[in-house]
Amino acid sequence: MNSSAVLEHPLLARVEQALDTIRPYLAADGGNVRVLDITDELVLQLELLGACGTCPMSPMTLKAGVEESVKKAVPEIVRVEAINGTSMAEQPAGQTGHPVSPAPVPTPEF
């Protein structure tokens, strides 16, 4: 399916809605996903972006997070697969692909 055909797919709006519920979690670790295709077999093909493209946990995130969220919202989708990822060289400047730990919060003294 070409990109204009995926833009017209009847499930795309629901798929994007489902992805929007998990994007903040992906973004917190410097990543994201982009819909490439919804095949005739109802397989959602995604591109892993940013840190998601290089993270060793991406397969688990894809299955446990992305696929579960999408299939719950759009049960017609039978599978979610990553077609490719973004290499470290293609990431925005300063993005290492590893989340930065938050600064510790001081405990107030009573």
Side-chain angles (χ1 to χ4, degrees), residues 76-95:
E76 297 91 334
I77 296 294
V78 296
R79 189 173 72 250
V80 176
E81 59 186 36
I83 298 302
N84 58 356
T86 304
S87 73
M88 293 292 280
E90 296 175 54
Q91 293 184 17
Q95 185 171 321

Side-chain angles (χ1 to χ4, degrees), residues 89-102:
E90 296 175 54
Q91 293 184 17
Q95 185 171 321
T96 62
H98 301 284
V100 176
S101 297

Side-chain angles (χ1 to χ4, degrees), residues 102-108:
V105 177
T107 306

Side-chain angles (χ1 to χ4, degrees), residues 40-77:
D40 292 337
E41 295 79 25
L42 298 176
V43 174
L44 175 62
Q45 296 178 333
L46 300 174
E47 178 181 15
L48 301 177
L49 302 171
C52 289
T54 58
C55 177
M57 298 302 288
S58 287
M60 185 187 314
T61 300
L62 186 70
K63 286 293 176 192
V66 177
E67 184 171 68
E68 185 176 313
S69 295
V70 168
K71 288 173 76 174
K72 183 177 179 181
V74 190
E76 297 91 334
I77 296 294

Side-chain angles (χ1 to χ4, degrees), residues 1 4-13 37-40 42 77:
M1 188 178 284
S4 64
V6 78
L7 295 176
E8 297 169 7
H9 197 286
L11 297 179
L12 182 61
D37 197 4
I38 300 172
T39 69
D40 292 337
L42 298 176
I77 296 294

